[in-house]
Amino acid sequence: MPFTRPRHWLRWLIGAIVVLVVLGVGGPFVYIHFFNGSTPAALSLPTASSSASSSASGTTPAGTATASTAASASLAGTYSVGSGSVVGYRVNEVLLGQSTTAVGRTSSVTGHLTIVGTTATGAAFSVPMATVHSDKSQRDAQFDGRIMDVAQYPTGIFTLTSPIDLAPLPATGVIKSYTATGKLTLHGATRTVTFTLTAERSTAKDGGAQIEVVGHIPVLFSDYNVQNPSVGGFVTTQDNGLLEFLLVFSKA
């Protein structure tokens, strides 16, 4: 009997340690995969548009009369960013050993696009950084404060600096990819960026011309003097993320 009690408590101690280990590893897994909701998918053009692109791209040669007619059907003009536009960030996180993705977005987007002939000669979009929100208020507080300091640097801006040749202009419903170069301003720092965007010519509900543009811009935090979003040993992130955008341009 003298040795029974110590062994009894030893079993309890070992059991408690095992439970703590399981909670430490399994707790974040359960939280991320069962209680944290699903991560929003990357921004993309409507699914229906993809189907139109697949069929149209294989049947409309670049030099046909259809493409020429589309090119002369007054795509030229000035467009404004309208309803349905979204800009945000996507950053990979590790929460106590479990991988997840942080996503924050805003629909408070303004901007413009100018097309002369078959060339996009100017474009820009901007967002009030304080309107970018994720699914976690704690993350948003860190984003607004020590990470992006939205009080001091309230606006994120992209401005196209090199024209984009759109010729031959695709027909309505056909998706094409282009390379864009411009200046991105975040956290008070401006850097030159080059990235691929995907665009689709469509028709607005009012019958007017519309162009939807989607893409993402890789962002290295140190390029913009942005602190790594990691929080102690609780949440760690990569040293980079993506600025993603879906812009709906309607002809003015």
Side-chain angles (χ1 to χ4, degrees), residues 116-140:
V116 177
T118 60
T119 302
T121 58
F125 66 85
S126 64
V127 300
M129 298 301 289
T131 65
V132 178
H133 298 299
S134 70
D135 61 343
K136 293 290 179 289
S137 60
Q138 300 93 328
R139 180 189 292 134
D140 293 342

Side-chain angles (χ1 to χ4, degrees), residues 51-62 64 174-175:
S51 299
S53 173
S54 298
S55 59
S57 61
T59 57
T60 308
T64 62
V174 175
I175 296 173

